[in-house]
Amino acid sequence: MIRDITIGQYFPGHSPVHRMDPRMKLILTIFYIVVLFVVSNPFGFIPAIFFLGCSYRVARIPVKMIVKSIKPILPIIIFTGILNLLFISGE
């Protein structure tokens, strides 16, 4: 079970993202998180998702590794989505 969790694990490579200064990667990550929290409508997530896809592409991380890292948190995402649908009133 522990071997299957890849969240936060280093993926070795020689891409521009791998060669980037760690401080810059940390600043960009914090900026991305802030942008995700500031977005006020669903259409604001489209550029964020596009940026994330481009980042994965530039980092040359295989899709299999991305799916493997998302799999452990998928139940949490689904559970949170169901709770939002049932208990949050919309306008």
Side-chain angles (χ1 to χ4, degrees):
M1 168 88 179
I2 297 296
R3 283 184 294 159
D4 295 336
I5 298 176
T6 59
I7 298 171
Q9 284 189 356
Y10 176 72
F11 180 76
H14 301 288
S15 70
V17 174
H18 287 88
R19 290 190 299 267
M20 191 182 297
D21 183 45
R23 293 169 290 200
M24 189 62 189
K25 289 190 272 191
L26 186 61
I27 290 169
L28 288 173
T29 301
I30 292 170
F31 177 74
Y32 186 71
I33 291 169
V34 169
V35 166
L36 289 177
F37 277 104
V38 171
V39 171
S40 61
N41 62 16
F43 295 111
F45 287 110
I46 293 172
I49 292 170
F50 178 75
F51 176 75
L52 183 65
C54 289
S55 298
Y56 277 128
R57 178 97 173 165
V58 170
R60 298 185 190 119
I61 298 175
V63 176
K64 183 178 179 181
M65 182 68 108
I66 297 167
V67 171
K68 189 176 177 184
S69 69
I70 292 175
K71 199 170 22 171
I73 62 170
L74 196 57
I76 297 169
I77 294 170
I78 292 171
F79 180 70
T80 305
I82 291 171
L83 286 178
N84 278 323
L85 285 172
L86 297 176
F87 296 111
I88 304 296
S89 61
E91 295 178 16

